[in-house]
Amino acid sequence: MAEASRWHRGGAPKPKLHYRKEVEIRTTLQELSLYFIFLINLCILTFGMVNPHMYYLNKVMSSLFLDTSVPGDERTNFKSIRSITDFWKFMEGPLLEGLYWDAWYTNKTLYNLKNSSRIYYENILLGVPRVRQLKVRNNTCKVYSSFQSLMSECYDKYTSSNEDTSDFGLKQETEWKYSTPNSSSPWHWGFVGVYRNGGFIFTLSKSKSDTKNKFINLRLNSWITRGTRVIFIDFSLYNANVNLFCIIRLVAEFPATGGMITSWQFYSVKLLRYVSHYDYIIASCEITFCIFLIVFTTQEAQKIREFKSAYFKSVWNWLELLLLVLCFVAVSFNIYCNIQIFLLLEDLLKNTEKYSDFYFLAYWYIYYNNIIAITIFFAWIKIFKFISFNKTMSQLSTTLSRCLKDIVGFAIMFFIIFFAYAQLGFLVFGSQVDDFSTFQNAIFAQFRIVLGDFNFAGIQQANRILGPIYFITFIFFVFFVLLNMFLAIINDTYSEVKADYSIGRRPDFELGEMIKKSYNNALEKLRLKKPQKDGDDKGKGDLAEQARREGFDENEIQSAEQMKKWKERLEKKYYSSEIQDDYQLVTQQEFRELFLYAVELEKELHYVSLKLNRVMRRISALQ
């Protein structure tokens, strides 16, 4: 066996060939160690951006501006207002009281109020709040001829082409005149439409009484009209205790159907990045991250240059490229955010009598945070590349690769039925049940039904006949039949893979075993552990030592010894001169040993065949 191994490796032993597995192990361990350092650095960097006080700041601000009730009506707050009358009550009540804090609870003045209000005594109101609305023109839709005698006006939903830019009302102050949108400001995606910047804008005053008079004047002069489609209330806060900015946007949408839909955004962000000593540690992690990014990019470029098109055949290589792209995008976002903060922050804080538009900075900062979150997600997924050499992970990856075709076929059948039920639910219950109000909502509602979260009473109330039929048949076909088929596909494939592994059809290269051997060898060299020797078979040990000196690795030596044992046992049983019977029974254990022996021979012959093909190709190239 040793001679065969020597022969099919090309004659004289070469270190690169004899120790290929050790080199691969060493390289993998080095990559794993380096990647763990990168991952720890990335975790420190990402979690250093998140402050637990962000949640509490958002919570107290949302409680103040969303949950505070309108005076005289404890059931009405910003979340529940549905009419223009309630909206003005909110503006003159909870909003006004929440924005202007001018005294302690004992009615004593705490600080100089010339600069700004301090909400909850700790959060400085930056500049003054801003209110703006977007309108649509009249006759942007067509009234049916039979109803033109009853209704001559028609206001369609908001689009940039339907937007009304003409002055209206008193036409004296800025709130009655249209302001052109800023091209750099992001659009707002609401429940009903997508709205751009600009519109009819007015800013509040530093004085609480002046602001209240402003609200009364706008209400009496009908600043909100039938063409109004959305109103934004924007303001920003800064808390020096925790070094956080809180950018708040309250949105009231007026759909073409009438009524009002409210939404809100609370962004707590850390725009002043480098203040404390811990922030400078984060800065060092950012520099280290860039160094790692350069190193990994160089490595991947070398691999692409070496393997060329074969590089793109591995899923792990695609994951590497995706991770590098995300890292570069995150670095670009970080640089862009820091530049914008450096250019805009001083100007925004300079004039306290105007609105300070921090929403632009918060918008890009949130996008940067989202990119970092996705990056660290895929960074953790990449760890599977290194532990895939483990037996359990190898079984899992082999199972998924084998049943991929069956899963794709099953997925086509599953989603045909799933989307058919989603369309049925949307058409039957969409006008009455919130979970089925849109086709997208119907899809997610069905996923929740599979997980046990459903509103059967609402479905039944929407349609007493089709509701129960839809629910029962969906549960039966999707939950009991299709999902169990999916589990059966994976379970059967896993059983086959496990059976193959049990009879020896497994990868020879297991990272855990090699790490264990390296650990034992290190202990033996340090004389902390006695070397393992077989005293009963000294000659075999001498042969093993000689094989090691000649350059054979441990796996080849063990494989040769195992095959020698099998050969001696089989020769003794079937080719001994003592046995005279022509027919001998073969036990299950003996059959398994014969099968394993054949598997090992097949591996060796396959390797010899590959070597011969390479030699023949080289000879052909030389000719």
Side-chain angles (χ1 to χ4, degrees):
M1 179 63 199
E3 293 178 357
S5 298
R6 183 197 300 269
W7 177 78
H8 71 60
R9 290 182 181 273
K14 296 181 181 180
K16 290 184 179 180
L17 295 177
H18 291 159
Y19 295 100
R20 66 186 187 281
K21 292 185 178 179
E22 281 76 3
V23 172
E24 189 174 357
I25 284 287
R26 193 179 304 111
T27 304
T28 303
L29 290 177
Q30 290 174 355
E31 291 181 0
L32 181 59
S33 302
L34 184 64
Y35 187 74
F36 264 118
I37 298 174
F38 165 76
L39 193 59
I40 293 171
N41 179 81
L42 183 59
C43 289
I44 296 174
L45 175 63
T46 52
F47 287 104
M49 296 167 46
V50 181
N51 191 331
H53 294 290
M54 291 179 175
Y55 167 75
Y56 297 112
L57 183 57
N58 286 340
K59 184 175 182 180
V60 296
M61 289 301 135
S62 62
S63 176
L64 176 63
F65 292 103
L66 302 180
D67 299 330
T68 303
S69 301
V70 173
D73 189 355
E74 296 181 354
R75 295 177 298 177
T76 303
N77 53 33
F78 184 77
K79 292 181 178 178
S80 60
I81 57 177
R82 293 295 180 264
S83 66
I84 298 176
T85 303
D86 291 338
F87 178 78
W88 283 119
K89 288 181 180 180
F90 167 78
M91 297 286 283
E92 299 172 18
L95 179 65
L96 199 66
E97 296 296 328
L99 288 175
Y100 296 94
W101 294 59
D102 52 7
W104 189 247
Y105 64 93
T106 56
N107 293 326
K108 293 181 180 180
T109 302
L110 288 176
Y111 38 75
N112 188 358
L113 299 175
K114 291 182 180 180
N115 291 328
S116 183
S117 171
R118 297 190 180 182
I119 299 173
Y120 277 126
Y121 315 112
E122 303 293 344
N123 305 281
I124 302 175
L125 183 63
L126 302 175
V128 291
R130 183 186 70 177
V131 180
R132 69 181 179 97
Q133 73 160 320
L134 296 175
K135 300 173 57 181
V136 295
R137 300 187 309 273
N138 187 16
N139 298 323
T140 49
C141 53
K142 187 176 181 180
V143 180
Y144 189 67
S145 57
S146 301
F147 291 91
Q148 289 180 355
S149 59
L150 301 176
M151 180 179 292
S152 60
E153 299 175 338
C154 183
Y155 297 88
D156 199 0
K157 65 181 181 179
Y158 175 83
T159 61
S160 57
S161 59
N162 293 338
E163 186 176 357
D164 187 3
T165 59
S166 59
D167 300 342
F168 74 106
L170 302 181
K171 299 182 180 180
Q172 298 172 350
E173 303 295 334
T174 56
E175 58 266 23
W176 306 99
K177 298 180 180 180
Y178 183 79
S179 300
T180 57
N182 187 355
S183 59
S184 62
S185 297
W187 290 35
H188 180 87
W189 189 1
F191 285 117
V192 181
V194 180
Y195 310 97
R196 64 176 179 175
N197 202 14
F200 300 90
I201 303 172
F202 71 93
T203 56
L204 306 187
S205 173
K206 290 287 185 179
S207 172
K208 182 177 180 180
S209 58
D210 292 345
T211 300
K212 187 171 184 179
N213 293 332
K214 187 79 169 180
F215 286 158
I216 294 173
N217 180 53
L218 293 173
R219 174 169 56 84
L220 294 178
N221 289 281
S222 300
W223 186 68
I224 301 177
T225 65
R226 286 185 59 193
T228 300
R229 284 295 171 259
V230 64
I231 296 178
F232 297 96
I233 305 170
D234 296 298
F235 54 96
S236 305
L237 313 171
Y238 176 68
N239 191 308
N241 300 334
V242 293
N243 188 26
L244 289 177
F245 289 80
C246 185
I247 291 84
I248 300 173
R249 168 169 286 185
L250 307 179
V251 184
E253 295 181 78
F254 300 81
T257 57
M260 185 187 302
I261 300 174
T262 57
S263 59
W264 48 87
Q265 291 177 342
F266 292 83
Y267 293 148
S268 291
V269 295
K270 187 177 180 180
L271 299 180
L272 301 177
R273 299 288 301 276
Y274 310 112
V275 177
S276 63
H277 295 292
Y278 180 70
D279 294 335
Y280 289 103
I281 296 176
I282 300 300
S284 64
C285 291
E286 291 177 349
I287 297 173
T288 308
F289 176 81
C290 294
I291 296 173
F292 273 113
L293 184 57
I294 295 172
V295 172
F296 289 153
T297 304
T298 305
Q299 290 179 350
E300 294 307 311
Q302 291 176 351
K303 290 181 181 178
I304 293 175
R305 193 182 304 112
E306 180 181 356
F307 297 102
K308 297 181 180 179
S309 61
Y311 173 87
F312 299 98
K313 295 181 180 180
S314 173
V315 177
W316 297 114
N317 292 336
W318 282 103
L319 180 61
E320 292 274 5
L321 295 178
L322 175 62
L323 190 58
L324 288 177
V325 171
L326 290 173
C327 290
F328 276 110
V329 173
V331 171
S332 302
F333 266 87
N334 188 22
I335 295 173
Y336 179 77
C337 290
N338 287 331
I339 292 175
Q340 293 299 323
I341 291 170
F342 177 77
L343 296 176
L344 301 177
L345 188 60
E346 185 176 354
D347 293 336
L348 291 173
L349 298 176
K350 185 181 298 183
N351 193 340
T352 60
E353 299 295 331
K354 294 183 178 180
Y355 167 69
S356 300
D357 190 4
F358 282 90
Y359 185 82
F360 172 77
L361 297 177
Y363 179 84
W364 288 108
Y365 188 90
I366 293 300
Y367 264 87
Y368 168 63
N369 187 46
N370 294 339
I371 291 294
I372 282 291
I374 297 173
T375 302
I376 197 171
F377 170 79
F378 283 106
W380 279 102
I381 294 298
K382 184 185 171 182
I383 295 180
F384 285 104
K385 173 184 177 181
F386 299 103
I387 63 177
S388 61
F389 297 108
N390 177 265
K391 176 183 175 182
T392 303
M393 293 305 303
S394 179
Q395 287 181 354
L396 176 61
S397 60
T398 305
T399 301
L400 295 178
S401 61
R402 284 194 186 182
C403 65
L404 183 61
K405 293 183 179 179
D406 294 333
I407 289 178
V408 170
F410 167 81
I412 295 173
M413 178 181 62
F414 175 82
F415 282 108
I416 288 174
I417 298 176
F418 192 83
F419 285 126
Y421 271 101
Q423 189 171 1
L424 174 63
F426 167 64
L427 295 175
V428 176
F429 317 118
S431 60
Q432 302 182 52
V433 183
D434 180 61
D435 291 341
F436 294 87
S437 57
T438 63
F439 185 69
Q440 294 85 352
N441 288 349
I443 292 174
F444 288 106
Q446 291 188 158
F447 279 114
R448 295 203 308 271
I449 290 176
V450 174
L451 297 175
D453 179 18
F454 55 88
N455 182 16
F456 178 73
I459 297 174
Q460 187 180 27
Q461 187 176 3
N463 195 309
R464 294 186 177 275
I465 298 176
L466 292 179
I469 293 175
Y470 162 84
F471 181 79
I472 293 172
T473 55
F474 177 81
I475 291 295
F476 176 77
F477 287 109
V478 175
F479 188 78
F480 289 108
V481 178
L482 294 179
L483 289 184
N484 282 285
M485 285 180 61
F486 174 73
L487 295 176
I489 291 172
I490 296 180
N491 187 41
D492 290 345
T493 308
Y494 179 74
S495 299
E496 294 176 1
V497 171
K498 196 172 181 180
D500 290 346
Y501 274 55
S502 65
I503 60 175
R505 292 182 177 178
R506 69 180 70 182
D508 295 331
F509 177 34
E510 288 194 16
L511 185 61
E513 292 294 331
M514 292 300 178
I515 293 175
K516 185 178 179 181
K517 291 179 181 178
S518 301
Y519 173 74
N520 291 331
N521 291 335
L523 291 179
E524 291 177 2
K525 290 180 180 179
L526 295 174
R527 298 182 179 180
L528 298 176
K529 183 179 180 181
K530 294 182 179 180
Q532 297 179 356
K533 294 182 179 180
D534 190 0
D536 296 334
D537 195 358
K538 185 176 180 180
K540 183 175 67 177
D542 294 338
L543 291 174
E545 290 297 329
Q546 182 180 359
R548 292 188 184 94
R549 287 195 299 269
E550 291 179 359
F552 292 95
D553 58 23
E554 292 294 332
N555 284 341
E556 291 175 333
I557 295 171
Q558 292 179 5
S559 177
E561 291 176 350
Q562 184 66 30
M563 293 191 70
K564 184 177 180 181
K565 288 181 180 178
W566 288 340
K567 183 179 178 181
E568 292 176 352
R569 189 180 305 133
L570 293 172
E571 288 179 349
K572 183 177 180 181
K573 183 171 181 63
Y574 296 103
Y575 298 98
S576 175
S577 58
E578 299 177 358
I579 301 176
Q580 300 295 332
D581 297 334
D582 295 334
Y583 176 79
Q584 295 290 332
L585 293 175
V586 180
T587 63
Q588 185 176 1
Q589 179 65 24
E590 292 170 346
F591 179 78
R592 182 176 179 277
E593 292 177 354
L594 284 169
F595 182 79
L596 292 175
Y597 184 71
V599 168
E600 291 297 327
L601 287 175
E602 181 184 3
K603 290 180 181 178
E604 294 296 327
L605 291 173
H606 180 68
Y607 196 83
V608 170
S609 176
L610 291 176
K611 282 292 185 179
L612 289 175
N613 289 335
R614 292 180 183 176
V615 171
M616 294 302 296
R617 283 197 297 269
R618 291 178 181 177
I619 293 173
S620 300
L622 292 175
Q623 292 176 354

